[in-house]
Amino acid sequence: MKNFTVAGKAESPFLSWLTEGMINEFEAAGYRYHNEPVDAINLVFNLIDPESPRHYRRNSQSTFVVSIVENDEEPENVFKAAYPYLVRSLANHLIFISHHAEDTTLYFLTPEQGFYSKSYNRGEDTGLFFQHIFERLEPLASSQLVIDNDFYEDLFDGLAEGNEVTEKMALGGKKLDDMNLLPAPFPIEDYLSSRDLRHLKKLYGIGGLSYGNLSSRETNDHFWMSASGIDKSNMKTVGRDMLYITGYDSEKNAMKISIPPKTTPKRASVDAIEHWMIYKEHPDVGAIVHIHAWMNGVEPTPVNYPCGTIQLAETVAELVRESTEPSRAVIGLKNHGLTITGTDLDDIFHRIEGRIIPQVPMS
């Protein structure tokens, strides 16, 4: 049985009603509610003060935190106003509540910039409303992250300085920038204290937030991938900008990465497990690009799992498998972006150039 709790204080009648409804819905689904946190807590609803947001201090990666903040007026740009609350409260998910004259809108945000909303009209069926919230959040809370990295200093001559594959990776990063598909890394250090940054890195290995990634196969079992939190338009150094992924250790739940000796590496992208699964199953896939953008004609597939989880990786791998041509698939992840496979990076860019819509449709 999974355990959950509510941290913080409901400062308004709406927040009291909302938290009580969510508690009842999750308890009805078999979750056990605790008034105070227990050691093996799986889910935390963290009610934060918009003037002074405080984070819930986890002891484990497996604790999924949903921060909730209430706002009396709708900002001109909801995402821009809400996203810093997600970062400052060190949350896996954020519910930003905006009240209007006739209804209330709940905006759901994820660290990878997923953004969707649910409105509540006074007098509507509350059961369906809380069921919708449960269906949105429960798969997230029950998913398994794969974000640990095991680094091995065994990348020697021949690969330590890069090769033709990494040269094409660097050109691919520049191409993404030319297509305006590389938003600047989120300035996480502007919102977190040095202590909170250390805590975040210890728990999740996060040193920065950037969006989108690309990878290219080297051998049957190994591939190169852009690292996390870097400027992908300026990838130069093996072990820092481009990482050599050699496998997944299921016992340690960690990605295996070879780096040159005496290198201080960057972390692997959280999508490394997803790329690994695709390469492992589809030998004809030579490259993968993931972008937070869209293309006309792509069917959005509802995928309600966070980046970096086994569940999302398995879902995307299944969608690639079911596509007409797995080695040249375009998978549309609803409210998130595209994962595109190709025989190589040139093939991918040739197919998407001139077809990209920068804004992901949200619903």
mmCIF file of all heavy atoms in Angstrom, residues 4-7 10 14-33 43-47 66-69 95 97 106 108 126-127 129-138:
data_model
loop_
_atom_site.group_PDB
_atom_site.id
_atom_site.type_symbol
_atom_site.label_atom_id
_atom_site.label_comp_id
_atom_site.label_asym_id
_atom_site.label_seq_id
_atom_site.Cartn_x
_atom_site.Cartn_y
_atom_site.Cartn_z
ATOM 1 N N PHE A 4 0.696 8.498 1.692
ATOM 2 C CA PHE A 4 0.752 9.892 1.257
ATOM 3 C C PHE A 4 0.374 10.814 2.402
ATOM 4 O O PHE A 4 -0.196 10.393 3.419
ATOM 5 C CB PHE A 4 -0.131 10.130 0.031
ATOM 6 C CG PHE A 4 -1.617 10.216 0.294
ATOM 7 C CD1 PHE A 4 -2.292 11.425 0.170
ATOM 8 C CD2 PHE A 4 -2.353 9.089 0.645
ATOM 9 C CE1 PHE A 4 -3.659 11.512 0.388
ATOM 10 C CE2 PHE A 4 -3.721 9.163 0.856
ATOM 11 C CZ PHE A 4 -4.380 10.380 0.731
ATOM 12 N N THR A 5 0.719 12.092 2.242
ATOM 13 C CA THR A 5 0.433 13.077 3.270
ATOM 14 C C THR A 5 0.238 14.441 2.628
ATOM 15 O O THR A 5 0.477 14.621 1.429
ATOM 16 C CB THR A 5 1.577 13.137 4.311
ATOM 17 O OG1 THR A 5 1.164 13.927 5.427
ATOM 18 C CG2 THR A 5 2.838 13.752 3.717
ATOM 19 N N VAL A 6 -0.202 15.396 3.437
ATOM 20 C CA VAL A 6 -0.318 16.790 3.017
ATOM 21 C C VAL A 6 0.593 17.612 3.916
ATOM 22 O O VAL A 6 0.504 17.528 5.147
ATOM 23 C CB VAL A 6 -1.766 17.307 3.116
ATOM 24 C CG1 VAL A 6 -1.823 18.803 2.793
ATOM 25 C CG2 VAL A 6 -2.685 16.528 2.182
ATOM 26 N N ALA A 7 1.482 18.385 3.303
ATOM 27 C CA ALA A 7 2.371 19.274 4.050
ATOM 28 C C ALA A 7 1.908 20.712 3.854
ATOM 29 O O ALA A 7 1.365 21.063 2.808
ATOM 30 C CB ALA A 7 3.809 19.109 3.569
ATOM 31 N N ALA A 10 -3.684 24.728 4.665
ATOM 32 C CA ALA A 10 -4.676 25.273 3.740
ATOM 33 C C ALA A 10 -5.150 26.620 4.269
ATOM 34 O O ALA A 10 -5.819 26.688 5.304
ATOM 35 C CB ALA A 10 -5.843 24.310 3.596
ATOM 36 N N PHE A 14 -11.153 27.199 -0.312
ATOM 37 C CA PHE A 14 -10.985 26.385 -1.523
ATOM 38 C C PHE A 14 -9.875 25.355 -1.337
ATOM 39 O O PHE A 14 -10.034 24.187 -1.711
ATOM 40 C CB PHE A 14 -10.671 27.274 -2.730
ATOM 41 C CG PHE A 14 -10.559 26.490 -4.015
ATOM 42 C CD1 PHE A 14 -11.688 26.192 -4.763
ATOM 43 C CD2 PHE A 14 -9.327 26.026 -4.464
ATOM 44 C CE1 PHE A 14 -11.593 25.448 -5.940
ATOM 45 C CE2 PHE A 14 -9.220 25.283 -5.632
ATOM 46 C CZ PHE A 14 -10.360 24.993 -6.372
ATOM 47 N N LEU A 15 -8.742 25.769 -0.758
ATOM 48 C CA LEU A 15 -7.650 24.824 -0.541
ATOM 49 C C LEU A 15 -8.056 23.718 0.430
ATOM 50 O O LEU A 15 -7.678 22.555 0.252
ATOM 51 C CB LEU A 15 -6.411 25.553 -0.021
ATOM 52 C CG LEU A 15 -5.496 26.200 -1.057
ATOM 53 C CD1 LEU A 15 -4.313 26.880 -0.373
ATOM 54 C CD2 LEU A 15 -4.994 25.177 -2.069
ATOM 55 N N SER A 16 -8.829 24.068 1.450
ATOM 56 C CA SER A 16 -9.315 23.048 2.391
ATOM 57 C C SER A 16 -10.199 22.041 1.665
ATOM 58 O O SER A 16 -10.077 20.825 1.852
ATOM 59 C CB SER A 16 -10.095 23.706 3.530
ATOM 60 O OG SER A 16 -9.262 24.548 4.294
ATOM 61 N N TRP A 17 -11.105 22.558 0.824
ATOM 62 C CA TRP A 17 -12.001 21.687 0.050
ATOM 63 C C TRP A 17 -11.208 20.820 -0.923
ATOM 64 O O TRP A 17 -11.466 19.617 -1.057
ATOM 65 C CB TRP A 17 -12.999 22.565 -0.701
ATOM 66 C CG TRP A 17 -13.850 21.831 -1.695
ATOM 67 C CD1 TRP A 17 -14.968 21.091 -1.434
ATOM 68 C CD2 TRP A 17 -13.641 21.772 -3.111
ATOM 69 N NE1 TRP A 17 -15.474 20.570 -2.610
ATOM 70 C CE2 TRP A 17 -14.678 20.974 -3.651
ATOM 71 C CE3 TRP A 17 -12.693 22.324 -3.973
ATOM 72 C CZ2 TRP A 17 -14.778 20.709 -5.015
ATOM 73 C CZ3 TRP A 17 -12.792 22.059 -5.327
ATOM 74 C CH2 TRP A 17 -13.822 21.259 -5.842
ATOM 75 N N LEU A 18 -10.222 21.419 -1.583
ATOM 76 C CA LEU A 18 -9.433 20.689 -2.575
ATOM 77 C C LEU A 18 -8.623 19.571 -1.921
ATOM 78 O O LEU A 18 -8.629 18.428 -2.398
ATOM 79 C CB LEU A 18 -8.499 21.656 -3.305
ATOM 80 C CG LEU A 18 -7.609 21.038 -4.392
ATOM 81 C CD1 LEU A 18 -8.444 20.584 -5.579
ATOM 82 C CD2 LEU A 18 -6.538 22.038 -4.853
ATOM 83 N N THR A 19 -7.923 19.884 -0.841
ATOM 84 C CA THR A 19 -7.089 18.860 -0.203
ATOM 85 C C THR A 19 -7.943 17.744 0.391
ATOM 86 O O THR A 19 -7.583 16.563 0.296
ATOM 87 C CB THR A 19 -6.195 19.478 0.888
ATOM 88 O OG1 THR A 19 -6.999 20.236 1.797
ATOM 89 C CG2 THR A 19 -5.151 20.386 0.278
ATOM 90 N N GLU A 20 -9.082 18.095 0.978
ATOM 91 C CA GLU A 20 -9.962 17.061 1.528
ATOM 92 C C GLU A 20 -10.470 16.138 0.418
ATOM 93 O O GLU A 20 -10.511 14.909 0.575
ATOM 94 C CB GLU A 20 -11.145 17.701 2.248
ATOM 95 C CG GLU A 20 -12.087 16.681 2.885
ATOM 96 C CD GLU A 20 -13.258 17.330 3.601
ATOM 97 O OE1 GLU A 20 -13.250 18.570 3.776
ATOM 98 O OE2 GLU A 20 -14.193 16.593 3.989
ATOM 99 N N GLY A 21 -10.831 16.732 -0.717
ATOM 100 C CA GLY A 21 -11.306 15.927 -1.838
ATOM 101 C C GLY A 21 -10.229 15.009 -2.391
ATOM 102 O O GLY A 21 -10.494 13.848 -2.735
ATOM 103 N N MET A 22 -8.989 15.506 -2.484
ATOM 104 C CA MET A 22 -7.898 14.673 -2.993
ATOM 105 C C MET A 22 -7.562 13.554 -2.013
ATOM 106 O O MET A 22 -7.275 12.423 -2.421
ATOM 107 C CB MET A 22 -6.667 15.543 -3.280
ATOM 108 C CG MET A 22 -6.861 16.489 -4.460
ATOM 109 S SD MET A 22 -5.334 17.289 -5.046
ATOM 110 C CE MET A 22 -4.830 18.172 -3.577
ATOM 111 N N ILE A 23 -7.595 13.864 -0.719
ATOM 112 C CA ILE A 23 -7.354 12.820 0.283
ATOM 113 C C ILE A 23 -8.384 11.701 0.132
ATOM 114 O O ILE A 23 -8.044 10.512 0.100
ATOM 115 C CB ILE A 23 -7.396 13.418 1.709
ATOM 116 C CG1 ILE A 23 -6.167 14.293 1.954
ATOM 117 C CG2 ILE A 23 -7.466 12.299 2.752
ATOM 118 C CD1 ILE A 23 -6.234 15.092 3.239
ATOM 119 N N ASN A 24 -9.653 12.070 0.026
ATOM 120 C CA ASN A 24 -10.713 11.065 -0.099
ATOM 121 C C ASN A 24 -10.541 10.232 -1.368
ATOM 122 O O ASN A 24 -10.734 9.007 -1.359
ATOM 123 C CB ASN A 24 -12.083 11.747 -0.107
ATOM 124 C CG ASN A 24 -12.429 12.372 1.232
ATOM 125 O OD1 ASN A 24 -11.884 11.975 2.267
ATOM 126 N ND2 ASN A 24 -13.321 13.358 1.225
ATOM 127 N N GLU A 25 -10.174 10.886 -2.470
ATOM 128 C CA GLU A 25 -10.038 10.182 -3.751
ATOM 129 C C GLU A 25 -8.878 9.192 -3.714
ATOM 130 O O GLU A 25 -9.006 8.044 -4.173
ATOM 131 C CB GLU A 25 -9.830 11.195 -4.877
ATOM 132 C CG GLU A 25 -9.915 10.622 -6.278
ATOM 133 C CD GLU A 25 -11.327 10.211 -6.668
ATOM 134 O OE1 GLU A 25 -12.296 10.791 -6.127
ATOM 135 O OE2 GLU A 25 -11.453 9.304 -7.524
ATOM 136 N N PHE A 26 -7.746 9.613 -3.159
ATOM 137 C CA PHE A 26 -6.586 8.718 -3.111
ATOM 138 C C PHE A 26 -6.801 7.593 -2.101
ATOM 139 O O PHE A 26 -6.370 6.458 -2.334
ATOM 140 C CB PHE A 26 -5.314 9.514 -2.794
ATOM 141 C CG PHE A 26 -4.664 10.114 -4.011
ATOM 142 C CD1 PHE A 26 -5.146 11.293 -4.559
ATOM 143 C CD2 PHE A 26 -3.589 9.495 -4.627
ATOM 144 C CE1 PHE A 26 -4.568 11.851 -5.693
ATOM 145 C CE2 PHE A 26 -2.998 10.039 -5.761
ATOM 146 C CZ PHE A 26 -3.492 11.220 -6.300
ATOM 147 N N GLU A 27 -7.477 7.890 -0.985
ATOM 148 C CA GLU A 27 -7.782 6.823 -0.026
ATOM 149 C C GLU A 27 -8.716 5.787 -0.650
ATOM 150 O O GLU A 27 -8.548 4.578 -0.438
ATOM 151 C CB GLU A 27 -8.415 7.411 1.233
ATOM 152 C CG GLU A 27 -7.421 8.054 2.178
ATOM 153 C CD GLU A 27 -8.060 8.462 3.490
ATOM 154 O OE1 GLU A 27 -9.216 8.946 3.468
ATOM 155 O OE2 GLU A 27 -7.410 8.307 4.537
ATOM 156 N N ALA A 28 -9.687 6.244 -1.422
ATOM 157 C CA ALA A 28 -10.623 5.320 -2.066
ATOM 158 C C ALA A 28 -9.913 4.400 -3.052
ATOM 159 O O ALA A 28 -10.375 3.285 -3.325
ATOM 160 C CB ALA A 28 -11.720 6.110 -2.781
ATOM 161 N N ALA A 29 -8.767 4.869 -3.569
ATOM 162 C CA ALA A 29 -8.003 4.071 -4.534
ATOM 163 C C ALA A 29 -6.962 3.182 -3.852
ATOM 164 O O ALA A 29 -6.173 2.521 -4.535
ATOM 165 C CB ALA A 29 -7.317 4.990 -5.535
ATOM 166 N N GLY A 30 -6.945 3.167 -2.516
ATOM 167 C CA GLY A 30 -6.048 2.262 -1.808
ATOM 168 C C GLY A 30 -4.825 2.897 -1.192
ATOM 169 O O GLY A 30 -4.012 2.206 -0.564
ATOM 170 N N TYR A 31 -4.659 4.209 -1.345
ATOM 171 C CA TYR A 31 -3.547 4.898 -0.694
ATOM 172 C C TYR A 31 -3.867 5.090 0.791
ATOM 173 O O TYR A 31 -5.034 5.253 1.168
ATOM 174 C CB TYR A 31 -3.314 6.266 -1.333
ATOM 175 C CG TYR A 31 -2.488 6.241 -2.601
ATOM 176 C CD1 TYR A 31 -2.971 5.644 -3.764
ATOM 177 C CD2 TYR A 31 -1.226 6.826 -2.651
ATOM 178 C CE1 TYR A 31 -2.223 5.625 -4.930
ATOM 179 C CE2 TYR A 31 -0.467 6.816 -3.811
ATOM 180 C CZ TYR A 31 -0.968 6.218 -4.943
ATOM 181 O OH TYR A 31 -0.218 6.207 -6.090
ATOM 182 N N ARG A 32 -2.829 5.087 1.626
ATOM 183 C CA ARG A 32 -3.021 5.300 3.063
ATOM 184 C C ARG A 32 -2.562 6.709 3.429
ATOM 185 O O ARG A 32 -1.408 7.076 3.193
ATOM 186 C CB ARG A 32 -2.234 4.275 3.871
ATOM 187 C CG ARG A 32 -2.331 4.492 5.394
ATOM 188 C CD ARG A 32 -1.553 3.443 6.146
ATOM 189 N NE ARG A 32 -2.147 2.124 5.969
ATOM 190 C CZ ARG A 32 -1.578 0.989 6.391
ATOM 191 N NH1 ARG A 32 -0.399 1.029 6.992
ATOM 192 N NH2 ARG A 32 -2.180 -0.170 6.200
ATOM 193 N N TYR A 33 -3.483 7.491 4.007
ATOM 194 C CA TYR A 33 -3.172 8.872 4.381
ATOM 195 C C TYR A 33 -2.561 8.925 5.774
ATOM 196 O O TYR A 33 -3.003 8.236 6.696
ATOM 197 C CB TYR A 33 -4.437 9.729 4.350
ATOM 198 C CG TYR A 33 -4.201 11.143 4.829
ATOM 199 C CD1 TYR A 33 -3.455 12.034 4.064
ATOM 200 C CD2 TYR A 33 -4.697 11.576 6.057
ATOM 201 C CE1 TYR A 33 -3.218 13.327 4.500
ATOM 202 C CE2 TYR A 33 -4.472 12.865 6.504
ATOM 203 C CZ TYR A 33 -3.727 13.737 5.722
ATOM 204 O OH TYR A 33 -3.484 15.008 6.163
ATOM 205 N N LEU A 43 3.916 9.894 -1.682
ATOM 206 C CA LEU A 43 3.314 11.068 -2.320
ATOM 207 C C LEU A 43 3.072 12.149 -1.281
ATOM 208 O O LEU A 43 2.559 11.875 -0.193
ATOM 209 C CB LEU A 43 1.992 10.666 -2.986
ATOM 210 C CG LEU A 43 1.099 11.775 -3.534
ATOM 211 C CD1 LEU A 43 1.787 12.510 -4.681
ATOM 212 C CD2 LEU A 43 -0.239 11.197 -3.998
ATOM 213 N N VAL A 44 3.453 13.377 -1.625
ATOM 214 C CA VAL A 44 3.236 14.522 -0.738
ATOM 215 C C VAL A 44 2.557 15.637 -1.519
ATOM 216 O O VAL A 44 3.034 16.040 -2.586
ATOM 217 C CB VAL A 44 4.567 15.051 -0.157
ATOM 218 C CG1 VAL A 44 4.317 16.294 0.704
ATOM 219 C CG2 VAL A 44 5.274 13.977 0.647
ATOM 220 N N PHE A 45 1.428 16.112 -1.008
ATOM 221 C CA PHE A 45 0.814 17.335 -1.518
ATOM 222 C C PHE A 45 1.329 18.479 -0.645
ATOM 223 O O PHE A 45 1.010 18.553 0.544
ATOM 224 C CB PHE A 45 -0.710 17.255 -1.456
ATOM 225 C CG PHE A 45 -1.303 16.243 -2.388
ATOM 226 C CD1 PHE A 45 -1.849 15.061 -1.898
ATOM 227 C CD2 PHE A 45 -1.302 16.454 -3.758
ATOM 228 C CE1 PHE A 45 -2.392 14.120 -2.760
ATOM 229 C CE2 PHE A 45 -1.839 15.520 -4.630
ATOM 230 C CZ PHE A 45 -2.385 14.345 -4.134
ATOM 231 N N ASN A 46 2.131 19.342 -1.232
ATOM 232 C CA ASN A 46 2.807 20.397 -0.482
ATOM 233 C C ASN A 46 2.132 21.737 -0.755
ATOM 234 O O ASN A 46 2.257 22.298 -1.850
ATOM 235 C CB ASN A 46 4.288 20.452 -0.889
ATOM 236 C CG ASN A 46 5.067 21.488 -0.101
ATOM 237 O OD1 ASN A 46 4.745 21.779 1.044
ATOM 238 N ND2 ASN A 46 6.102 22.046 -0.714
ATOM 239 N N LEU A 47 1.389 22.259 0.228
ATOM 240 C CA LEU A 47 0.700 23.541 0.086
ATOM 241 C C LEU A 47 1.696 24.656 0.382
ATOM 242 O O LEU A 47 2.236 24.732 1.488
ATOM 243 C CB LEU A 47 -0.485 23.617 1.052
ATOM 244 C CG LEU A 47 -1.458 22.428 1.026
ATOM 245 C CD1 LEU A 47 -2.601 22.658 2.013
ATOM 246 C CD2 LEU A 47 -2.001 22.200 -0.373
ATOM 247 N N VAL A 66 3.948 17.024 -5.056
ATOM 248 C CA VAL A 66 3.096 17.915 -5.844
ATOM 249 C C VAL A 66 2.897 19.189 -5.038
ATOM 250 O O VAL A 66 2.238 19.177 -3.993
ATOM 251 C CB VAL A 66 1.726 17.272 -6.147
ATOM 252 C CG1 VAL A 66 0.861 18.237 -6.959
ATOM 253 C CG2 VAL A 66 1.894 15.952 -6.873
ATOM 254 N N SER A 67 3.502 20.281 -5.475
ATOM 255 C CA SER A 67 3.291 21.563 -4.800
ATOM 256 C C SER A 67 2.005 22.197 -5.308
ATOM 257 O O SER A 67 1.669 22.093 -6.491
ATOM 258 C CB SER A 67 4.471 22.505 -5.040
ATOM 259 O OG SER A 67 5.599 22.099 -4.303
ATOM 260 N N ILE A 68 1.293 22.865 -4.404
ATOM 261 C CA ILE A 68 0.020 23.504 -4.745
ATOM 262 C C ILE A 68 0.070 24.948 -4.268
ATOM 263 O O ILE A 68 0.353 25.214 -3.097
ATOM 264 C CB ILE A 68 -1.165 22.768 -4.086
ATOM 265 C CG1 ILE A 68 -1.174 21.292 -4.499
ATOM 266 C CG2 ILE A 68 -2.486 23.440 -4.452
ATOM 267 C CD1 ILE A 68 -2.220 20.456 -3.777
ATOM 268 N N VAL A 69 -0.190 25.876 -5.189
ATOM 269 C CA VAL A 69 -0.168 27.295 -4.838
ATOM 270 C C VAL A 69 -1.420 27.956 -5.401
ATOM 271 O O VAL A 69 -1.860 27.651 -6.507
ATOM 272 C CB VAL A 69 1.120 27.982 -5.358
ATOM 273 C CG1 VAL A 69 1.202 27.939 -6.876
ATOM 274 C CG2 VAL A 69 1.224 29.414 -4.850
ATOM 275 N N ILE A 95 0.600 22.353 -9.066
ATOM 276 C CA ILE A 95 -0.769 22.759 -9.375
ATOM 277 C C ILE A 95 -0.885 24.236 -9.024
ATOM 278 O O ILE A 95 -0.743 24.629 -7.862
ATOM 279 C CB ILE A 95 -1.809 21.943 -8.587
ATOM 280 C CG1 ILE A 95 -1.693 20.452 -8.924
ATOM 281 C CG2 ILE A 95 -3.216 22.441 -8.895
ATOM 282 C CD1 ILE A 95 -2.640 19.569 -8.123
ATOM 283 N N ILE A 97 -3.313 27.357 -8.942
ATOM 284 C CA ILE A 97 -4.755 27.596 -8.895
ATOM 285 C C ILE A 97 -5.041 29.062 -9.187
ATOM 286 O O ILE A 97 -4.485 29.957 -8.540
ATOM 287 C CB ILE A 97 -5.322 27.222 -7.512
ATOM 288 C CG1 ILE A 97 -5.019 25.752 -7.198
ATOM 289 C CG2 ILE A 97 -6.818 27.492 -7.452
ATOM 290 C CD1 ILE A 97 -5.247 25.390 -5.741
ATOM 291 N N LEU A 106 -7.251 25.006 -12.598
ATOM 292 C CA LEU A 106 -6.055 24.381 -12.047
ATOM 293 C C LEU A 106 -5.092 24.126 -13.201
ATOM 294 O O LEU A 106 -5.432 23.421 -14.159
ATOM 295 C CB LEU A 106 -6.388 23.056 -11.356
ATOM 296 C CG LEU A 106 -6.864 23.116 -9.898
ATOM 297 C CD1 LEU A 106 -8.170 23.883 -9.780
ATOM 298 C CD2 LEU A 106 -7.018 21.708 -9.335
ATOM 299 N N PHE A 108 -1.548 22.500 -14.366
ATOM 300 C CA PHE A 108 -0.599 21.465 -13.969
ATOM 301 C C PHE A 108 0.701 21.678 -14.745
ATOM 302 O O PHE A 108 0.685 21.742 -15.974
ATOM 303 C CB PHE A 108 -1.164 20.077 -14.274
ATOM 304 C CG PHE A 108 -2.428 19.748 -13.523
ATOM 305 C CD1 PHE A 108 -3.654 20.244 -13.938
ATOM 306 C CD2 PHE A 108 -2.391 18.938 -12.396
ATOM 307 C CE1 PHE A 108 -4.826 19.944 -13.256
ATOM 308 C CE2 PHE A 108 -3.552 18.626 -11.701
ATOM 309 C CZ PHE A 108 -4.777 19.132 -12.131
ATOM 310 N N THR A 126 -18.488 17.079 -8.354
ATOM 311 C CA THR A 126 -17.174 17.082 -7.705
ATOM 312 C C THR A 126 -16.489 15.726 -7.816
ATOM 313 O O THR A 126 -15.259 15.646 -7.841
ATOM 314 C CB THR A 126 -17.297 17.470 -6.221
ATOM 315 O OG1 THR A 126 -18.184 16.557 -5.565
ATOM 316 C CG2 THR A 126 -17.840 18.890 -6.084
ATOM 317 N N GLY A 127 -17.293 14.662 -7.883
ATOM 318 C CA GLY A 127 -16.698 13.332 -8.007
ATOM 319 C C GLY A 127 -15.875 13.193 -9.272
ATOM 320 O O GLY A 127 -14.751 12.680 -9.245
ATOM 321 N N PHE A 129 -14.597 15.641 -10.975
ATOM 322 C CA PHE A 129 -13.475 16.578 -10.892
ATOM 323 C C PHE A 129 -12.291 15.947 -10.163
ATOM 324 O O PHE A 129 -11.153 15.976 -10.650
ATOM 325 C CB PHE A 129 -13.931 17.852 -10.173
ATOM 326 C CG PHE A 129 -12.833 18.843 -9.907
ATOM 327 C CD1 PHE A 129 -12.292 19.602 -10.930
ATOM 328 C CD2 PHE A 129 -12.339 19.012 -8.617
ATOM 329 C CE1 PHE A 129 -11.279 20.520 -10.686
ATOM 330 C CE2 PHE A 129 -11.327 19.923 -8.361
ATOM 331 C CZ PHE A 129 -10.798 20.676 -9.398
ATOM 332 N N PHE A 130 -12.542 15.353 -9.002
ATOM 333 C CA PHE A 130 -11.446 14.747 -8.244
ATOM 334 C C PHE A 130 -10.946 13.461 -8.905
ATOM 335 O O PHE A 130 -9.763 13.124 -8.794
ATOM 336 C CB PHE A 130 -11.872 14.501 -6.799
ATOM 337 C CG PHE A 130 -11.930 15.752 -5.982
ATOM 338 C CD1 PHE A 130 -13.143 16.264 -5.555
ATOM 339 C CD2 PHE A 130 -10.772 16.448 -5.670
ATOM 340 C CE1 PHE A 130 -13.199 17.435 -4.813
ATOM 341 C CE2 PHE A 130 -10.812 17.622 -4.930
ATOM 342 C CZ PHE A 130 -12.033 18.121 -4.501
ATOM 343 N N GLN A 131 -11.817 12.773 -9.603
ATOM 344 C CA GLN A 131 -11.374 11.602 -10.360
ATOM 345 C C GLN A 131 -10.386 12.014 -11.449
ATOM 346 O O GLN A 131 -9.381 11.335 -11.685
ATOM 347 C CB GLN A 131 -12.573 10.893 -10.987
ATOM 348 C CG GLN A 131 -12.200 9.642 -11.780
ATOM 349 C CD GLN A 131 -13.415 8.993 -12.433
ATOM 350 O OE1 GLN A 131 -14.558 9.288 -12.099
ATOM 351 N NE2 GLN A 131 -13.164 8.111 -13.377
ATOM 352 N N HIS A 132 -10.672 13.152 -12.092
ATOM 353 C CA HIS A 132 -9.772 13.656 -13.133
ATOM 354 C C HIS A 132 -8.400 13.983 -12.537
ATOM 355 O O HIS A 132 -7.364 13.642 -13.126
ATOM 356 C CB HIS A 132 -10.374 14.903 -13.779
ATOM 357 C CG HIS A 132 -9.502 15.515 -14.831
ATOM 358 N ND1 HIS A 132 -9.574 15.171 -16.161
ATOM 359 C CD2 HIS A 132 -8.509 16.444 -14.745
ATOM 360 C CE1 HIS A 132 -8.680 15.854 -16.844
ATOM 361 N NE2 HIS A 132 -8.024 16.645 -16.013
ATOM 362 N N ILE A 133 -8.382 14.637 -11.382
ATOM 363 C CA ILE A 133 -7.109 14.963 -10.736
ATOM 364 C C ILE A 133 -6.346 13.688 -10.401
ATOM 365 O O ILE A 133 -5.135 13.585 -10.631
ATOM 366 C CB ILE A 133 -7.347 15.807 -9.465
ATOM 367 C CG1 ILE A 133 -7.888 17.188 -9.843
ATOM 368 C CG2 ILE A 133 -6.052 15.947 -8.657
ATOM 369 C CD1 ILE A 133 -8.215 18.064 -8.651
ATOM 370 N N PHE A 134 -7.054 12.701 -9.855
ATOM 371 C CA PHE A 134 -6.411 11.428 -9.512
ATOM 372 C C PHE A 134 -5.809 10.777 -10.753
ATOM 373 O O PHE A 134 -4.658 10.306 -10.732
ATOM 374 C CB PHE A 134 -7.433 10.490 -8.867
ATOM 375 C CG PHE A 134 -6.887 9.115 -8.584
ATOM 376 C CD1 PHE A 134 -6.130 8.876 -7.449
ATOM 377 C CD2 PHE A 134 -7.117 8.063 -9.462
ATOM 378 C CE1 PHE A 134 -5.610 7.610 -7.192
ATOM 379 C CE2 PHE A 134 -6.606 6.801 -9.218
ATOM 380 C CZ PHE A 134 -5.849 6.570 -8.076
ATOM 381 N N GLU A 135 -6.561 10.745 -11.842
ATOM 382 C CA GLU A 135 -6.074 10.102 -13.064
ATOM 383 C C GLU A 135 -4.874 10.832 -13.651
ATOM 384 O O GLU A 135 -4.038 10.225 -14.326
ATOM 385 C CB GLU A 135 -7.210 10.024 -14.091
ATOM 386 C CG GLU A 135 -8.301 9.038 -13.695
ATOM 387 C CD GLU A 135 -9.507 9.091 -14.616
ATOM 388 O OE1 GLU A 135 -9.569 10.027 -15.464
ATOM 389 O OE2 GLU A 135 -10.389 8.223 -14.489
ATOM 390 N N ARG A 136 -4.788 12.128 -13.402
ATOM 391 C CA ARG A 136 -3.631 12.896 -13.865
ATOM 392 C C ARG A 136 -2.395 12.604 -13.019
ATOM 393 O O ARG A 136 -1.284 12.465 -13.529
ATOM 394 C CB ARG A 136 -3.937 14.401 -13.794
ATOM 395 C CG ARG A 136 -4.812 14.933 -14.898
ATOM 396 C CD ARG A 136 -4.048 15.027 -16.207
ATOM 397 N NE ARG A 136 -4.778 15.790 -17.212
ATOM 398 C CZ ARG A 136 -4.324 16.032 -18.423
ATOM 399 N NH1 ARG A 136 -3.141 15.564 -18.779
ATOM 400 N NH2 ARG A 136 -5.032 16.724 -19.289
ATOM 401 N N LEU A 137 -2.581 12.526 -11.701
ATOM 402 C CA LEU A 137 -1.440 12.501 -10.794
ATOM 403 C C LEU A 137 -0.981 11.105 -10.392
ATOM 404 O O LEU A 137 0.211 10.891 -10.162
ATOM 405 C CB LEU A 137 -1.768 13.301 -9.525
ATOM 406 C CG LEU A 137 -2.001 14.803 -9.703
ATOM 407 C CD1 LEU A 137 -2.314 15.440 -8.352
ATOM 408 C CD2 LEU A 137 -0.793 15.475 -10.338
ATOM 409 N N GLU A 138 -1.895 10.156 -10.290
ATOM 410 C CA GLU A 138 -1.515 8.849 -9.751
ATOM 411 C C GLU A 138 -0.448 8.135 -10.576
ATOM 412 O O GLU A 138 0.510 7.586 -10.005
ATOM 413 C CB GLU A 138 -2.756 7.969 -9.598
ATOM 414 C CG GLU A 138 -2.553 6.806 -8.630
ATOM 415 C CD GLU A 138 -1.780 5.637 -9.229
ATOM 416 O OE1 GLU A 138 -1.847 5.464 -10.467
ATOM 417 O OE2 GLU A 138 -1.121 4.906 -8.471
#
